[in-house]
Every structure is written in C-alpha cells, then in structure tokens.
Amino acid sequence: SNTSPPDPSTMEAPKKKIAVMTSGGDSQGMNGVVRAVVRMAIHMGCDPYCVYEGYEGLVQGGKYIRRMGWNDVRGYLSEGGTLIGTARCMAFYERPGRLTAAKNMILNGIDAIIICGGDGSLTGADKFRAEWPSLVEELVSTGQLTKAQVEPFRHLNIVGLVGSIDNDLTGTDATIGAYSALARICEMVDYIEATASSHSRAFVIEVMGRHCGWLALMAGLATGADFIFIPEKPREDNWKEEMCQVIQKHRDWGKRKTIVIIAEGANDRFGNKITPDMVKDLLADKKGLALDTRITTLGHVQRGGTAVAYDRMLATLQGVEAVKAVLEAGPETETCFIAINENKIVRKPLMAAVQETKKVAKAIEAQEFDKAMALRDTEFSDQYNSYMMTTSMGVSEDIHLPAEKRMKIGFINVGAPAGGMNAAIRAGVAYCRSRGHEPISINNGFAGFARHHGDEPLGAVRSFDWLEVDGWASKGGSEIGTNRELPEESGIEHIANLIKKYKFDALFLIGGFEAFHSISQLRKARDRFPSLCIPLTLLPATISNNVPGSEYSLGSDTCLNELVAYCDKIKQSASATRRRVFVIETQGGRSGYVAVLAGLGVGASAVYVPEEGISLEMLNADVKHLKDVFQKDKGQSRAGRLILVNEKASRTYSAKLIADIIREEAHDRFEARDSIPGHVQQGGVPSAMDRCRAVRLAIRCIQHLETYGPKSYDNPDSIRENPLSASVIGIKGASVVFSAMKDLEETETDWKNRRPMTAHWLNLKTTVDILGGRPDYPLPE
Ligand code: ATP
C-alpha cells in the first residue's frame, strides 16, 4: 500500500482547495463524509475546507467557510447528525443568494465543492452549476470581482453525495443515512411488538417519507408488518376491506399482534391522505376485528443515534470517491454524484438523477402509480413484490402454480448461526406457500437429518408451522437449528437415501463455508446417487463473509454493527483515559472482511488480516507511528486509538501479544490493552439490512429452484449437465447473480484457507490505512 501523502516540496502548483458541506435534513453518516473528504483531500495534497450550515454558510461566507486540519475530524465517524451544521436556506433559492455564494467561493479560492444532501440540496447544486458562468460574468460586470480574480474559477467543480434518510434519489440503491434510519425504525417496531403481543393489540406506526415509501416498505419487510401504505403504490380502491381482510386472516391464524406501517406521504388512489387515525378507527370499529389500536408516530428518532456500519462504509467510500472525482474533473466533465449499485461505488450524472427523482413526485401527484414504481430502482419493486408475497399469504391464491409444477423443498441450515437466517427461512416458506409448494424443515443441519430422521416427534424432518415461522422476521440465531457437519461426515449414501425417502424435489441451503462445501460434496456424488440429481442452491449466511460466489453474506452486516458498537464503546473508554490504544480481536476465520469493514466504520489506526499476515516490520512501523502520534498529541484529543486484528491474522501475534508489545515499547508514555468481543459478533437481533436482504435473496433462491420443476431425479443426466442446478446466489459488483458450484469450486475457491480466491474488499484496507494516517509498512514475504 502507498499511504504517504505526496511531498509538498516537489509540487509546483498551488494546493487545490476542496470544500465539503452538508445540507438539507441531517442524516446519520454525514460526519463520516466530512472526515473522509477532509482526510482524503489532505492525502492527495489539497487543502480541505468545511462550509458550515449548508448553503446558508456559503451565502454568509466569513467564518462559515473554514480551513480544516487532519485532527479536526477525529472521532467524527462515531457521532450522529452533522457536526458542521446544516440549514434550510431561503436565499439560495433565489439568484442573488447564489450570486453571493459564488462570490464567497471565489474570494476563498475554493476550487471544488462536495455537497452532501437530499434531492433538494442536489437540485440547488445542479442549478448553481448550470448558472455558474453567468454568475461569474455578473460578478465581473457589476465590478464585484475582477477578471483576473475569476479567471481560475471559470468552471464550477462540484460533486454530489446523497445524504438523506428517505433513500429517495433515483440511480443509487442507498442514500447515506437510509439504513441507519431503517435500523432505528426496526428497533422501535421490535419494541412495540412485544407490548402489542402481550395485550393482543394493533399498532399503527407512522414513519418518515413524503414522496418515498422506501423506509415504510423496508420496515414492513424487515419486521413482517401486517400491512403497509406507501406513496408510490397506493392500495386498491377497496383498501379498507382489503386491509381488514388480511388482518382478520392473520388473526384467524392465531397472531396476537397487528402492525400497520404508514409512510407520512401515503395516499389513496385519488390523492386523499391516509392518516394513522383513519386506519386506527377502521381496526377498532370493524365488526369482528374490534382491535384495541394505538398510534405511534416515530418522528425525529428516525434521524437519531449514530450511523450503522453500512452508512459509515458508504459515507467513507463515497467521500473518498468524491475527492477523486473532483481531482479528475476537467472543464468538459459532466457534473456527477456518487452512487452505489448493490456493492459497487459509481459516478453518475447528477442532472439526470435529479430530474428522474422529480419525476417520481410528479407521477405520484398525477396518480400515475405504475410510472412512479417504474422510476424507482429495481430493488424497490422487487422488494415490494417480496413484501406482498410474504404477508398477504393465502389472500392471493392467484399466484398458485398448477399441481404438477409444485415442489417439495427441503430447508436446511449448515454452519454457525448468522443474522438473517430465520428471516430467509420465513420468506422462503411464505413464498413456497403462496406458490403451492411444500416447504419442509430439516432440523440441525446434515447431522440432524442423518441421525434424527424418523417420524417420531423429535425427528429432524418436519413441516413448518406458519404461525411460528411468521414470528421469525426479526429473530436471531437459527430456529430450525444448524450444525457444521458435512454430508460426507454423515455418510453421503445415507443422506442420498434420505433425500430419496422424503422425495425432496430440491434443497435450499442457508449457511457459510460449510454449507458451500456441503453442496460441493452433494454435487460430486450425483454420479453415484440419482436422488442427489435435484436442484441445490445456497444462500450465503455467515458473519465471516467468506463464501465464494458472493461479496455479501447474510449476518455479516449484523456482525459489523455489533463490532462497530463495541468499538465505539471501547473507544470512548480509551478516550476517557486519553493515552490508550485498544487492540481488538475480531472473528472471521481466515477472512479479514469484518476486521477491515469494522476498521473502516470506526477509523482504526491499523487492521491486521490473514490475507496479509503480520510481520515484525509491520508491527515496528505501527508502534513507531503510535509513538509519534502520542508524542505530538499532548493528551487533548478526544478519541482513543483502535487496532483491529483478525483471530487468524497470525499464528504468533495475538491481540494480547500485540498489546503487550505496544505497552512495552510505549515506556509508560501511553497504554495498550487487548479486548476480545467473541461471540457477541454473531449478534442478537439481526440488522435491518440482513433482514431485508434475507427476504429478497431467499425468494430469488426459491424462484430459481422452481425453474427446474419437481422430480428432476427422474432425469438425472439433465441435472448433471446443468451447471446452475448446484448454485450459489450472490451479490457480485452491481448485480445479484447465481453462480455454478462447479465453476466456483474449481476457479474461485481457496479451499485451504476456506475463502474466495480473491478478496474483493482488500483494496478497502488501503482506505482504512489512508484515513487512519497509517504509515507505509512492508508486507510479509
Ligand atoms: P431532505 O429532503 O432529505 O431533508 P434536502 O436536501 O432535499 O434534504 P431541502 O430542504 O429540500 O432538503 O433542500 C436543502 C436546501 O437546498 C434548501 O434549503 C435550499 O437552500 C437548497 N435548495 C433546495 N432546492 C433548491 C432549488 N430548487 N434551487 C436552489 N436551491 C435549492
């Protein structure tokens, strides 16, 4: 890695001045943006500035535009809201306001500005950019600035970052803050569910989103809410009857709680607002239901708290990308904003995105709802369909398959538990039921299957009890039980015979590397056992995120959130005693993914991963760096220092040993401690992201299995020859794809280290090192 800033003495041109600003409604993660931009700008040899209070600061100028130093943004990642302030600025809507803003930028010599805000802020940015040449012209013609003064600023260099809890900007899957707000909502709904269930009550919960139903939709999906209302897709004209019918059905199954989620901008098809009060009255007054109903309006708690791990990652990577974008932009470059598509950070034209976003609001206003849905990203309509399929179950008989196409599908967990496993099973079961398939639970992995397969009450093979499964949306652990044993250990012939005995048409596996290995074994045994010639698919679920075929596995987000929360607390303690370094050991097997991503989320001073190993030279460089830092910092800084070390990064240098070495070398000038969070990392309640992705990916898996139809074992050769009949679903770059096991086994798997051949995330470590100010260090041979 090359992390040292360019040597200023060898540079001729004056340093570029790059400003960063947060605008519009605050959102979690904005501080991460400011930190990333400031430090990356310094790293690239530029001078960073902050514009305080959004556009108001740009219009006011003076003390609102401030030069920033490396240490000014220390600790920013773990703070909620935006520390540089934000405001709604009336003046900026008008040309004279923008003229003053342009003048202030030029007077301060700002070469480029990175603006983080919602669609309003980015609309303002776009307008500013379009008007810029005429604003500059006017400043000269009115004598406010000279030609020479404006000459270096002929082109406005601007880059947008989308910071908003609404997730309402077209072209990006997630806005900075959206997943944090969603996490907050889910937390609150989880709390409410307990009391709702206790009293057998109904709760109507209003969430934010004037033109965008993302929060309401995803919260409905993650919590298994009974009914949702979103602006883009109003319910049918008879929504009152429909809602009461669905809820009645759920109650008839024995559900003791009812949750309805309403986006604040929800309307009926005619543009009349649907209020929580209306829903409450319906549920309370409807004959037969007469539910004791309460309303909860979540309001500003949704903006509260610190950013979840995902938003810290997004803020950091997009902030870094924004700095690169402004430095690469020439006069002809189209103004861009930074987006994320699935797992890929990309630059996209700003103007088009702003215009597309405006179209959604217009389509809703014109009651063109299909258009509004189509204008949202594909994930949105995907997830809407997922929601409908998993909750209106039994109500929509029309998506049942004809009898000869229905399948018996075995569900099995393999490996350690991971957040989202239960949500995936719930979604898979619900989808199966809405299609007429028969989902069957195989309890306790292959070990359970092999040894407790009888039809006795404790047998491993059971049908699902829907009422029980319905409560699994938010449950951690593995409700059907999981086990690490591989089919070959259980006896592959035995397993093949059991699959035959129960006439399984397909198997749906959810688990980590062991699950991957299991499918590989089953696939290879197909030549000998025709009963294994059925479609097999894996949904990766492991905190280690080390399954070949996917850049993301269920549970890794939950783990990251646990780790980041843990590190925040440790860091606070380290800061209170000031001169202390904590060395934290993370799980992950031989994959450094969680260590690096957690490092990105907390701003680690160093991260040690198995992919690189640890050498004495590395330790030496890091210890020396810490000494320098503590020497310069006379104890006034707010944040402690963290080093993250993966459990298998080195056979010798454990967290404890590293802490001991640092302490020894520090000679009492500072302290070092080790700390091991252990199984806390598997998480209690799964994260909102893991829950939502579980639903989407599980449904895709069953849909994939469904394409093979029942009784594939009657045509074993066609299955053997079909590469995707043994597959892994995954997020790869910007898309969700199925990969053939055979290809993955042969070309993408590092079997010895139980991880993919290439670590897609390893380059992120460079970002952690740069932003943590880590010096260059030699890698072990
Ligand atoms: P959110 O909706 O997520 O809270 P936002 O960025 O959309 O965030 P707005 O209040 O719409 O929030 O916009 C923030 C600021 O951006 C406004 O106060 C104004 O200064 C500027 N702005 C918004 N729209 C425009 C516009 N059309 N022209 C010029 N400036 C604008």
Side-chain angles (χ1 to χ4, degrees), residues 463-532:
S463 48
F464 286 99
D465 166 5
W466 171 244
L467 182 62
E468 196 192 338
V469 175
D470 187 48
W472 290 358
S474 54
K475 268 221 152 100
S478 161
E479 287 292 317
I480 65 168
T482 182
N483 192 288
R484 287 177 185 276
E485 194 170 286
L486 300 172
E488 277 178 10
E489 296 168 61
S490 318
I492 206 117
E493 181 167 6
H494 184 41
I495 296 290
N497 287 338
L498 288 171
I499 289 176
K500 189 169 174 182
K501 173 181 163 190
Y502 288 102
K503 294 198 172 66
F504 282 120
D505 295 309
L507 283 191
F508 176 33
L509 281 80
I510 304 163
F513 199 87
E514 285 96 354
F516 178 80
H517 199 171
S518 300
I519 293 205
S520 165
Q521 291 182 348
L522 296 177
R523 188 190 73 76
K524 287 179 179 160
R526 276 173 170 173
D527 283 341
R528 287 180 289 148
F529 308 106
S531 70
L532 298 179

Side-chain angles (χ1 to χ4, degrees), residues 168 170 211-212 232 355-365 368 371-373 375-376:
D168 54 356
T170 305
H211 302 294
C212 184
E232 296 87 342
Q355 281 167 356
E356 288 287 294
T357 305
K358 297 253 174 286
K359 281 191 203 157
V360 181
K362 285 212 186 85
I364 294 173
E365 217 166 285
E368 294 167 338
K371 193 169 159 197
M373 279 302 270
L375 284 164
R376 289 266 180 248

Side-chain angles (χ1 to χ4, degrees), residues 21 23-27 30 54-56 59 86-94 98 115-128 163-168 210 303 358:
M21 171 180 121
S23 171
D26 66 317
S27 72
M30 283 181 160
Y55 288 117
E56 191 60 37
V59 175
T86 181
R88 314 253 178 211
C89 170
M90 294 326 279
F92 202 78
Y93 283 100
E94 311 295 333
R98 294 192 291 273
I115 295 172
C116 179
D119 69 325
S121 305
L122 297 182
T123 305
D126 191 51
K127 212 178 226 169
F128 197 37
S164 161
I165 65 164
D166 288 343
N167 202 10
D168 54 356
R210 269 163 303 165
R303 296 188 188 275
K358 297 253 174 286

Side-chain angles (χ1 to χ4, degrees), residues 1 59 188 253 298 322 354 471 531 717:
S1 70
V59 175
M188 297 303 142
W253 291 332
L298 290 183
V354 167
S531 70
D717 282 336

